[in-house]
Amino acid sequence: MTGTDTTALVEGMPRHVAIIMDGNGRWAAQRGKSRTHGHRAGASAVRKAVAFARRNNIDALTLFAFSSENWGRPEKEVNLLMELFIAVLKREVPQLKKNGVRLNVIGDISRFSQRLQERIQAAQAATAEGTDLVLNVAANYGGRWDIANACQSLARQVQAGTLDPSDIDESAVAGALSLADLPPPDLLIRTGGDIRISNFLLWQLAYAELYFADILWPDFNDHTFMEAIDCFMRRERRFGLTSEQRQQLLAGI
Ligand code: FPP
């Protein structure tokens, strides 16, 4: 399927899409504008992506907004991003609520300002009843941090005597990670031209289909999203099985 028909797809659609939104800075530089301008334009693209996901019955959308490594950027840019997150949360929450979107922030938010932490808690609480789409925003998130955090949580349970080390299997680890309550992402989209995962959901992306779009995040639109889904739907997901086994499994043989 091609084009921008965004209503017809259901069968074979990804249920959970993760996105690495890259390219705001370059988008702004191409226009002779500041990086701030690029991030603001990036926030508009976020709004479009959320609306697309809702319209197309995607259950969960997980966006990489701020990595653990982004603290190393110039202080001015980090501060601007924080102010932008606060402003976006304040502005968008009523609409998210109205549209049945449940906001969930993943990552170590303890390093954020008190004001931002409170805004995040309030936004999560205000949208907690949403059932149409789960919008996960990864903020001060890193895949390695997530796995280390899960290890700590399991170790604490062992220390407390509520978990036996021999019971630490893949499902126990998965259950201690961020997004434990969701199926793992089916599709990862990265904009900006780089072909890497950059410490995003390292465990959760084990079987995701990867799609790299050669455009900058502020230019991401329904058409690009649809192209990624179109490509996803043409892939054969075997999960380690042979093609024949997979076909038989899907046919219920
Ligand atoms: C990557 O582009 C983008 C970011 C580090 C920030 C992402 C933030 C937004 C899209 C704004 C708002 C988001 C939410 C969820 C409210 P870059 O700066 O690395 O671009 P470059 O690679 O061209 O320098």
Side-chain angles (χ1 to χ4, degrees):
M1 194 171 303
T2 53
T4 51
D5 179 341
T6 60
T7 52
L9 295 169
V10 175
E11 191 70 27
M13 284 285 285
R15 289 169 305 166
H16 184 171
V17 178
I19 307 184
I20 299 178
M21 313 179 287
D22 198 10
N24 294 350
R26 278 165 285 164
W27 186 90
Q30 282 172 4
R31 286 157 181 78
K33 301 264 172 94
S34 67
R35 296 180 64 82
T36 308
H37 184 76
H39 291 314
R40 287 195 207 290
S44 298
V46 167
R47 194 178 310 117
K48 283 188 215 150
V50 172
F52 178 98
R54 268 193 71 241
R55 270 203 316 281
N56 288 281
N57 299 314
I58 289 168
D59 296 332
L61 182 65
T62 300
L63 305 176
F64 206 3
F66 193 86
S67 75
S68 320
E69 291 73 32
N70 286 151
W71 291 108
R73 291 193 174 200
E75 197 183 333
K76 196 169 156 238
E77 182 173 349
V78 172
N79 289 343
L80 171 277
L81 277 169
M82 298 301 142
E83 286 307 317
L84 188 61
F85 293 148
I86 291 174
V88 169
L89 286 175
K90 193 173 172 189
R91 192 180 63 217
E92 300 294 334
V93 161
Q95 196 64 17
L96 294 176
K97 197 173 165 181
K98 182 165 160 255
N99 290 336
V101 179
R102 175 161 67 87
L103 179 78
N104 176 42
V105 175
I106 61 168
D108 181 7
I109 66 164
S110 67
R111 197 168 159 191
F112 292 144
S113 70
Q114 199 58 36
R115 193 160 68 105
L116 181 51
Q117 288 186 48
E118 281 166 15
R119 191 69 77 188
I120 289 170
Q121 312 285 9
Q124 291 184 146
T127 61
E129 307 298 322
T131 53
D132 279 9
L133 172 73
V134 183
L135 173 61
N136 301 299
V137 175
N140 192 21
Y141 177 87
R144 291 177 177 172
W145 166 85
D146 202 358
I147 293 169
N149 202 44
C151 291
Q152 272 191 29
S153 149
L154 295 170
R156 268 190 230 103
Q157 293 173 50
V158 170
Q159 193 178 36
T162 55
L163 179 69
D164 192 278
S166 63
D167 289 331
I168 300 179
D169 54 11
E170 290 187 18
S171 112
V173 177
L177 288 163
S178 302
L179 308 183
D181 56 336
L182 291 171
D186 302 297
L187 169 64
L188 169 76
I189 300 171
R190 177 176 187 143
T191 62
D194 287 322
I195 303 181
R196 54 177 169 256
I197 297 181
S198 296
N199 198 20
F200 199 24
L201 307 158
L202 295 179
W203 176 288
Q204 298 88 333
L205 289 174
Y207 279 102
E209 295 297 324
L210 310 182
Y211 182 86
F212 297 95
D214 207 4
I215 59 153
L216 304 174
W217 174 250
D219 290 329
F220 188 84
N221 58 26
D222 287 5
H223 181 72
T224 335
F225 209 152
M226 188 51 84
E227 277 180 343
I229 288 177
D230 182 26
C231 183
F232 169 84
M233 291 173 80
R234 282 185 274 112
R235 305 241 182 117
E236 185 190 40
R237 306 185 76 197
R238 293 193 295 278
F239 298 97
L241 302 180
T242 66
S243 186
E244 195 184 19
Q245 284 175 310
R246 227 12 232 168
Q247 295 305 327
Q248 285 173 350
L249 203 69
L250 291 171
I253 300 170

